[in-house]
Every structure is written in structure tokens, then in C-alpha cells.
Amino acid sequence: MEMDMLKKLQDYCVRHGMPLPTIQISEKKDNRPAPEFEVCCSVASIVRYAKATNKEEAEKRAAVEMLAVISNDAEELVPYEKEVKGQQTKEYLKLRAVLDIFEAERGSVVTGLRLCDRHNYFKNFQPALKQAAFDVIESEGYSSYKDKALSLLTALEITPTTRTLESKAEEPILCIELNCDLDVVFVDLESQIYEQMIEYLRNMLV
């Protein structure tokens, strides 16, 4: 996992008004051929664990586990109990499949751009474009999130590039890239991606 999953998790929490994640080593085992680190990742009362032979990889895996949960099933969560050794949650496998596809097609992109820089980029859009965008966001006259999201991008004069990723999921997984000065890419199920885009831009434009 070359992508900075810890930063992605922190960004997600900031955008959605969640507490910042905490990550700590819960157990370290040295009495085996290869050391094993178990890391605990927490967001409020939500907890996920991951293991790896080095601390950094364990932290990344724990962040992936947490992202898979809070981005899809936040309302249904119950306190997490440790899983049987070697078992992976279905949420992890789903997100891992998406990341594998994304990384294979685009290559691993690691950027030093801070969240505040991304925020300022959208925040500093021309006032007329921002007003047009918020008119779309606040409107209830759209029949679907897709129509609303595409109208929002038109208001901001941003052209998206949309493609369907190959996967075994029953529902199509879309990759939507915004053609702007920043590297902004959304990857999600077709039924969820457009609402995600609207919320992202709503937060970034303020």
C-alpha cells in the first residue's frame, strides 16, 4: 500500500466532522522469526486492528480498515472485537480491491499537498462561480445526486472524466477525476459517488 492511507483517513475525518483518528501499537511480538506489530486505530468509539511485520505497514492496514467502516457503515457500527488471526473483514477486502484497481491504472501517487491547501484552492474560486455552485447545492430541484453533482461541476466550470473500473462487485465502481489544477479523484460505487462529490465540494468551497 503505497498510498498515504493515514492522511486519507485524517482528511476524511476532517471533511465529515469526525474526531481525528488515533493510532497506537497495541501489541509487539519479538519471540518469532519475524517481529509482528499489532496496531489499534480509533475514531471516537470505533476501533479497528491490523497486524504486519513492521509498524508503518500495520498502521496503513489499520487505517484502511477504519476507512472501509466509517465511509460505508458509520450508522450501524458496534464496538469492535479482535478478529481471529489472519482473518480480514469484508470491508477491508472491498476497499483493498478498489485500491488495487486504482493503483494499477494510475500508479501510486504520493503528494505533499496539505488538506488546507486543497481547501484554499476551492475556497478561492471566483465568487460568481462559488455562488452558482451553492445555488446548485442548496437546490431541491434535481431528480438524482448524479444530476446535481454534474450541474455542480458545470457551475464551477470543471469538466470531469468518468470511467467504470473492472471489478467483481455487482454494482459498477466508478472513477471520476476532476480536470482542474489539483489531483482530485473519486472512486466509489455508482450509487454513492455523486453524493460523496457534492459533500466534498460543499465542505471545500466554504
Side-chain angles (χ1 to χ4, degrees), residues 129-158:
L129 297 182
K130 288 179 62 176
Q131 183 58 56
F134 280 112
D135 288 344
V136 173
I137 291 172
E138 295 168 3
S139 173
E140 297 181 357
Y142 293 92
S143 59
S144 67
Y145 285 120
K146 178 180 180 179
D147 290 342
K148 191 170 189 175
L150 295 180
S151 294
L152 175 54
L153 293 179
T154 299
L156 292 171
E157 298 182 357
I158 296 176

Side-chain angles (χ1 to χ4, degrees):
M1 281 180 279
E2 297 296 334
M3 300 177 74
D4 190 345
M5 299 309 302
L6 292 178
K7 185 177 186 304
K8 289 176 72 70
L9 174 58
Q10 290 171 342
D11 289 358
Y12 187 93
C13 290
V14 170
R15 292 201 312 270
H16 292 80
M18 298 179 178
L20 288 175
T22 60
I23 293 186
Q24 59 185 5
I25 297 176
S26 61
E27 188 176 6
K28 179 181 177 182
K29 297 179 180 179
D30 290 321
N31 57 342
R32 54 182 61 203
E36 183 177 71
F37 293 83
E38 183 179 76
V39 168
C40 170
C41 179
S42 304
V43 173
S45 61
I46 307 165
V47 182
R48 282 293 182 268
Y49 293 86
K51 295 180 181 179
T53 56
N54 65 72
K55 177 175 174 287
E56 291 73 21
E57 183 65 16
E59 289 176 344
K60 290 179 182 179
R61 292 183 179 182
V64 169
E65 289 279 2
M66 182 59 70
L67 264 174
V69 173
I70 65 176
S71 61
N72 294 299
D73 306 310
E75 296 80 12
E76 303 175 9
L77 289 177
V78 295
Y80 177 84
E81 295 182 359
K82 288 186 180 181
E83 297 178 303
V84 177
K85 179 182 177 182
Q87 183 178 354
Q88 294 176 313
T89 63
K90 64 179 181 180
E91 292 91 352
Y92 172 83
L93 295 174
K94 178 172 67 175
L95 186 58
R96 180 65 262 169
V98 173
L99 289 175
D100 285 343
I101 294 168
F102 182 69
E103 291 173 1
E105 293 199 357
R106 288 181 53 82
S108 298
V109 178
V110 179
T111 175
L113 194 65
R114 299 171 300 174
L115 179 61
C116 63
D117 295 328
R118 289 182 175 276
H119 187 190
N120 288 334
Y121 171 77
F122 287 103
K123 182 180 178 181
N124 293 329
F125 262 46
Q126 296 178 18
L129 297 182
K130 288 179 62 176
Q131 183 58 56
F134 280 112
D135 288 344
V136 173
I137 291 172
E138 295 168 3
S139 173
E140 297 181 357
Y142 293 92
S143 59
S144 67
Y145 285 120
K146 178 180 180 179
D147 290 342
K148 191 170 189 175
L150 295 180
S151 294
L152 175 54
L153 293 179
T154 299
L156 292 171
E157 298 182 357
I158 296 176
T159 303
T161 298
T162 305
R163 54 201 172 92
T164 302
L165 303 180
E166 293 184 8
S167 75
K168 295 182 180 179
E170 295 182 2
E171 183 180 349
I173 296 177
L174 300 184
C175 175
I176 301 179
E177 182 172 1
L178 305 189
N179 295 315
C180 59
D181 293 337
L182 294 183
D183 183 19
V184 183
V185 180
F186 301 89
V187 179
D188 208 335
L189 297 173
E190 186 175 25
S191 62
Q192 300 177 20
I193 194 168
Y194 295 106
E195 183 178 9
Q196 177 192 142
M197 292 169 58
I198 293 168
E199 288 305 309
Y200 177 85
L201 291 171
R202 182 202 302 272
N203 292 331
M204 286 299 186
L205 287 167
V206 175

